[in-house]
Amino acid sequence: MTAMTARRPLPLLRRVLADSWRGLIGWSLGLAGVVGMYLPLYSTIGGNPEFLAIIESLPPELVAALSYDQITTGAGYTQGTVHGLIGFVLVTIAAVGWGSSIIAGDEERGTLELTLAHGVDRTQLVLERFGAIALKLLVLATLLALMVLALNEPAALELSLEGIIAGSVALLGLGLLTAAAGTMTGAIVGRRSLAVGTAAGVAVLGYALNALGNQNADLEWLHALSPYFWAYGAEPLANGFDALMGLLYAVSAVAVVVAVLAFRRRDVGV
């Protein structure tokens, strides 16, 4: 493997992608199914009085928690059904699984020592494997943007190109942060269960803090602690890019750096 490492760049990234492309196809089909099922419905229910009556009949607290207050617009509907709900759940599940496995998963299986024994640097291992996760999440985000773009006119969503791209970039940032949290925890403690819990906790807590912050003005300060709000608080599908979205990528980068430093200092268990 040492000779191969010298001849071919990014061997670990290549290996992860080669081993997981079937799973990536499955996640892509699932995301495509969600988009294809929900977005075409907007053209028939977006301005439907019965649909509006259903939304108005819901408790205001629930509407605020689910961010359904703008669901009668194309941007609000896309956010409320795909980017901020079902699509968010799918990307989060994928990110949790990928991020918690690249170090802690292999370590618990006893295969991580074999990889390191072939002259692979620990920094290289973390960066290349996380880079593979980033590429897979980028594929999902790109697929989402393309499908929303394709359905934008037929579904009468009236989204701008910037809004479509910004929405996917926001979801990509959330996925990266979730995966980075799992990678960092796995690098620190080497246990997949803890890595899964941390990664999932970041996503769930971020959603909960945003929902609580939407309830009333006294709780709006919780938005500052919510990665979900960093992604969608400025309504990227309607308004385009916002600087707050950059926090997702900045915190993800910090988490990966911490993962590298922690993994370089820790002994690998069998």
Side-chain angles (χ1 to χ4, degrees):
M1 186 171 177
T2 304
M4 183 183 298
T5 302
R7 291 195 303 268
R8 301 183 63 184
L10 305 176
L12 300 178
L13 184 149
R14 291 170 179 266
R15 173 50 55 188
V16 171
L17 294 179
D19 291 342
S20 61
W21 65 269
R22 293 179 180 85
L24 179 59
I25 290 177
W27 286 111
S28 299
L29 292 175
L31 185 61
V34 167
V35 178
M37 179 175 63
Y38 278 97
L39 293 192
L41 296 176
Y42 178 75
S43 60
T44 58
I45 69 175
N48 191 311
E50 295 181 359
F51 178 69
L52 298 178
I54 292 174
I55 298 299
E56 292 175 356
S57 67
L58 296 174
E61 295 80 8
L62 179 61
V63 173
L66 297 175
S67 300
Y68 279 1
D69 51 323
Q70 300 294 325
I71 202 169
T72 55
T73 67
Y77 179 84
T78 305
Q79 163 66 27
T81 57
V82 177
H83 288 72
L85 192 59
I86 306 300
F88 166 67
V89 170
L90 289 177
V91 170
T92 295
I93 294 173
V96 168
W98 294 338
S100 62
S101 296
I102 59 174
I103 296 177
D106 272 10
E107 188 167 355
E108 288 190 350
R109 288 190 295 269
T111 58
L112 188 58
E113 281 191 334
L114 296 176
T115 302
L116 295 173
H118 285 83
V120 175
D121 180 76
R122 292 189 179 208
T123 299
Q124 176 190 2
L125 186 144
V126 175
L127 294 182
E128 287 195 29
R129 286 188 169 181
F130 188 80
I133 292 177
L135 286 177
K136 291 193 289 185
L137 289 172
L138 178 61
V139 169
L140 295 181
T142 302
L143 172 65
L144 175 60
L146 292 176
M147 288 205 64
V148 174
L149 181 62
L151 293 171
N152 186 32
E153 185 173 346
L157 297 171
E158 298 182 350
L159 300 174
S160 67
L161 179 59
E162 180 185 355
I164 293 172
I165 296 174
S168 288
V169 170
L171 185 58
L172 173 60
L174 279 173
L176 286 174
L177 180 56
T178 300
T183 299
M184 179 184 68
T185 305
I188 293 173
V189 301
R191 296 186 58 184
R192 188 173 185 273
S193 59
L194 293 178
V196 168
T198 301
V202 167
V204 173
L205 184 61
Y207 187 89
L209 290 175
N210 178 74
L212 289 173
N214 289 342
Q215 297 303 307
N216 58 65
D218 293 335
L219 297 176
E220 285 184 354
W221 63 272
L222 293 174
H223 285 154
L225 306 177
S226 169
Y228 188 93
F229 181 82
W230 302 347
Y232 298 124
E235 301 180 5
L237 285 162
N239 303 319
F241 290 96
D242 182 81
L244 196 61
M245 198 184 300
L247 282 175
L248 296 169
Y249 293 87
V251 176
S252 298
V254 171
V256 172
V257 171
V258 172
V260 170
L261 296 177
F263 191 52
R264 287 177 62 90
R265 296 173 62 87
R266 183 175 65 82
D267 292 332
V268 175
V270 179

